[in-house]
Amino acid sequence: MILLILLTAAFAATSLKTIFSYITSEMFRQPLQEPYLLAGLISHFNVLDTKTNRNIGLGVQYALGFLFVIVFQALLTKGLLTLDFDSILLYGAITGLLSIIGWALMFMKARSKPQMNPIGYYSLLFTGHIVFAFTMAGCYIII
């Protein structure tokens, strides 16, 4: 049963976060979608073609989502987090900050940087992780 919860929560939360980034990108007319940006970074490693890079980017996105859910489950099991509003918000904020640090490091190492507003992207990334955390928690509560 726990595997079903982990997989459902990871898929739903990552999907909603990705949809959120696509909608926000359209609203601000900026290339802010994580799979798109991951594909750009992957292309620097000379991996096949653009479509393959995007698919790899999307796969990495979902793998990281699953990792965030596993960490959440471990913290729940140890009693360090609960399914209340404050814990979920805290987890979303922490994962958002960790993601911002990760992306900032990747952009520093990249040979060419995407043409985008970094402050806008990091704001989107932070907010997207809050969306992720509440979606994930919703799956835990529903299932």
Side-chain angles (χ1 to χ4, degrees), residues 16-106:
L16 194 57
K17 179 178 162 293
T18 303
I19 291 167
F20 173 76
S21 74
Y22 274 83
I23 290 170
T24 306
S25 293
E26 286 298 316
M27 286 174 47
F28 293 105
R29 301 193 194 304
Q30 290 276 320
L32 304 174
Q33 310 97 330
E34 290 91 347
Y36 169 82
L37 294 170
L38 282 168
L41 291 173
I42 290 167
S43 69
H44 295 293
F45 297 109
N46 298 321
V47 178
L48 306 176
D49 56 52
T50 302
K51 184 177 179 184
T52 302
N53 290 343
R54 284 193 183 212
N55 288 335
I56 292 170
L58 202 54
V60 169
Q61 172 98 346
Y62 277 90
L64 290 172
F66 187 64
L67 177 66
F68 282 141
V69 172
I70 289 171
V71 169
F72 183 76
Q73 177 61 43
L75 294 171
L76 275 177
T77 302
K78 291 184 182 227
L80 297 173
L81 288 177
T82 61
L83 287 172
D84 69 358
F85 183 87
D86 292 340
S87 286
I88 297 163
L89 183 62
L90 177 65
Y91 188 72
I94 290 169
T95 59
L97 290 173
L98 290 173
S99 294
I100 288 169
I101 292 166
W103 276 100
L105 292 172
M106 285 190 287

Side-chain angles (χ1 to χ4, degrees), residues 118-135:
I119 301 297
Y121 177 65
Y122 294 140
S123 298
L124 163 77
L125 194 59
F126 185 82
T127 307
H129 279 84
I130 301 294
V131 169
F132 178 93
F134 279 98
T135 305

